[in-house]
Amino acid sequence: MEAAFYINGMKSTWYRISVKGYGKVWIDSNGLISTEKNAKYYQENGTKTLASNYKQFKLYNHIPGTNKNELKQNWNGINLTDKVVSYDLKGVRVKYATVWYRIHLNNKSYWISAQAFAQ
């Protein structure tokens, strides 16, 4: 499904798609993915270096507070050979304006707070 909206006087085209692990979502032509009103997701790829205190930050299957099926995991059983991790999505929890990244470890994806990364 396609829909056109006017935001601040500018026309924006959005598409309704199905994303594995998220269900049906809207994506705009500029790469913003919004699964619900609680979070906004941005297509962004790269690498980041974890800070020395990264283990104090939990890993999640969703950005906390955005999904009823949220699961929290600590770092037990996760093999980390390097503090440099890759990510493929950036998310913002709208209510608190907190930033999260979906990282990949041991062939799994996890959401972690942006505060877990070195400045």
Side-chain angles (χ1 to χ4, degrees):
M1 177 189 331
E2 178 180 327
F5 300 98
Y6 286 89
I7 301 169
N8 296 328
M10 301 288 293
K11 184 177 180 181
S12 178
T13 303
W14 289 68
Y15 300 94
R16 182 89 165 151
I17 62 172
S18 181
V19 177
K20 185 176 180 178
Y22 291 101
K24 294 189 180 213
V25 299
W26 285 97
I27 182 169
D28 80 2
S29 57
N30 294 317
L32 170 65
I33 300 172
S34 181
T35 60
E36 53 192 81
K37 65 181 178 181
N38 295 327
K40 292 182 180 179
Y41 299 88
Y42 300 87
Q43 285 296 150
E44 190 174 304
N45 296 300
T47 59
K48 287 197 169 283
T49 302
L50 292 166
S52 59
N53 64 342
Y54 72 91
K55 286 191 175 184
Q56 80 178 32
F57 298 93
K58 302 293 184 207
L59 301 167
Y60 297 86
N61 63 331
H62 296 282
I63 295 174
T66 65
N67 189 291
K68 66 180 180 177
N69 297 317
E70 169 190 316
L71 297 173
K72 178 173 40 174
Q73 180 176 332
N74 59 28
W75 289 87
N76 295 340
I78 296 190
N79 298 322
L80 188 63
T81 57
D82 189 4
K83 285 188 177 182
V84 177
V85 294
S86 64
Y87 64 93
D88 66 353
L89 278 177
K90 176 181 177 181
V92 177
R93 186 168 177 203
V94 175
K95 184 175 182 179
Y96 300 105
T98 54
V99 177
W100 297 80
Y101 288 90
R102 188 171 73 178
I103 62 173
H104 305 285
L105 302 169
N106 305 122
N107 297 316
K108 290 188 178 182
S109 297
Y110 303 96
W111 284 96
I112 191 167
S113 170
Q115 296 176 333
F117 298 108
Q119 302 298 323

